[in-house]
Amino acid sequence: MHDILYEGGPTGLLLIHGLGGTPVELKRIARAVHAAGHTAYCCTLAGHCGTEADLVATRWQDWYASVEAAFDRLSARCERVVVGGLSLGAVLALHLAARRGSDVHGLALYAPTLWYDGWAMPWYRALLKVAVYTPIGRRYRFVEREPFGIRDARIRARVAAAMLGGDSAEAGLAGTPAHALRELWRISARVRRELPEVKAPAILLHARTDDISSLRNSTHIAGRLGGIADLTVLDDSYHIVTLDRQRNVVIERTLALMSRIGVTGAKPVMLRQSSTPMPLATLRDVPGGRRRPSHAFAEAAR
């Protein structure tokens, strides 16, 4: 197990990493939440932080079982729980909110990925959904490549070194097998149908120039959620917004949500108050962000 737990106050944040990823992707968020007095828990999905064979041996139901078990552990410690996730982690967070209803008090969705349609994705990606059911397609392996979901060159270089060096517990897998892609498509299709059932207030943060999953993913989700949604559009990041140049914006939005949830309990007020529910996203363009030289993948997790 590579779970990370910071024990704090009665409001907790469960953080879920992405496909082929690791809890380290979210450790900086967890540390900031803990410093603000809350409890933070980064869980490890089944089959992750090991080998590709470990990942291939799992299905999306196994990943979700990891999330539900982690949620139950955190709920036993905390009075209120917000669930957040990066990429696939955000999709699993939405599935949990649809299934567990009012037990989920809020959602923090970082670059949610229903479709791999970012600008760096291969042109033949649409064919993969058919190809993965063929003998050749089942052997397909999507290999991570530049820019590795990170706009900041210094962070990118260090993350790439850890990933390509084979340290899956620190930086995730360098390649995603076709089996895992197929399972992501399956859970994504299910979650798309469930979006109107999700009533928990949600914040979404997504880069306009996301290289892995386009901004369309977040606008689609925000427009169909059954509760209030607040979408922040980042202009100086790529896919891994929790580590990239505007990670401090991600932290600020998350802390604001945690604060609201902690004060108001089961019926939180969102960042911008309104007398009526807002079914569509409140679009925020965040200019510039912090452009200081970035920390490394491991440094960002300290």
Side-chain angles (χ1 to χ4, degrees):
M1 292 289 287
H2 299 271
D3 293 1
I4 300 167
L5 173 65
Y6 295 110
E7 294 198 52
T11 302
L13 174 64
L14 173 62
L15 291 166
I16 311 162
H17 62 77
L19 180 61
T22 164
V24 176
E25 298 167 348
L26 296 154
K27 192 172 181 180
R28 192 176 182 91
I29 308 296
R31 287 175 63 89
V33 166
H34 179 248
H38 308 296
T39 297
Y41 181 23
C42 303
C43 68
T44 307
L45 299 178
H48 288 71
C49 295
T51 66
E52 282 191 25
D54 295 330
L55 182 56
V56 169
T58 61
R59 302 176 64 190
W60 74 260
Q61 290 90 343
D62 301 309
W63 307 338
Y64 176 70
S66 301
V67 171
E68 199 160 44
F71 179 76
D72 289 337
R73 286 194 290 271
L74 189 57
S75 295
R77 295 171 179 264
C78 299
E79 298 173 3
R80 298 167 294 275
V81 177
V82 175
V83 183
L86 172 66
S87 195
L88 165 68
V91 176
L92 291 169
L94 286 164
H95 185 52
L96 179 73
R99 288 177 61 97
R100 300 296 286 266
S102 60
D103 290 342
V104 176
H105 292 81
L107 290 165
L109 309 175
Y110 313 129
T113 301
L114 298 173
W115 304 281
Y116 279 123
D117 59 351
W119 59 265
M121 292 295 95
W123 63 268
Y124 53 83
R125 62 184 180 270
L127 303 177
L128 290 177
K129 288 190 176 182
V130 176
V132 295
Y133 294 98
T134 68
I136 294 177
R138 282 193 291 270
R139 294 195 295 270
Y140 174 81
R141 178 175 176 268
F142 174 73
V143 179
E144 294 286 343
R145 58 184 181 180
E146 293 282 349
F148 299 104
I150 298 175
R151 186 165 189 161
D152 187 284
R154 294 184 65 181
I155 296 182
R156 184 193 313 146
R158 296 180 182 182
V159 169
M163 182 184 299
L164 299 177
D167 189 353
S168 64
E170 183 69 23
L173 293 172
T176 304
H179 168 87
L181 293 175
R182 184 189 65 199
E183 293 303 307
L184 179 139
W185 295 328
R186 286 174 172 172
I187 180 59
S188 295
R190 186 182 185 109
V191 166
R192 288 200 300 272
R193 297 191 298 269
E194 294 174 338
L195 290 175
E197 302 170 27
V198 177
K199 308 298 183 182
I203 60 169
L204 302 93
L205 294 104
H206 211 119
R208 180 182 294 109
T209 53
D210 190 315
D211 56 316
I212 304 297
S213 60
S214 75
L215 181 60
R216 175 175 74 112
N217 288 265
S218 277
T219 56
H220 178 92
I221 291 168
R224 289 162 178 78
L225 287 174
I228 297 172
D230 189 302
L231 171 59
T232 300
V233 178
L234 304 173
D235 73 343
D236 197 25
S237 299
Y238 287 159
H239 185 63
I240 307 180
V241 296
T242 54
L243 288 178
D244 215 342
R245 289 176 175 169
Q246 292 172 296
R247 59 192 179 276
N248 286 336
V249 176
V250 177
I251 289 172
E252 290 165 5
R253 296 287 188 263
T254 303
L255 289 177
L257 176 63
M258 296 295 294
S259 178
R260 299 284 186 178
I261 297 293
V263 170
T264 60
K267 295 184 178 180
V269 179
M270 287 302 294
L271 304 180
R272 182 180 296 127
Q273 297 187 29
S274 174
S275 59
T276 57
M278 296 166 55
L280 298 178
T282 299
L283 294 175
R284 299 170 182 268
D285 273 354
V286 177
R290 281 83 176 161
R291 294 177 180 266
R292 293 176 298 181
S294 178
H295 303 303
F297 201 103
E299 290 174 340
R302 288 178 186 167

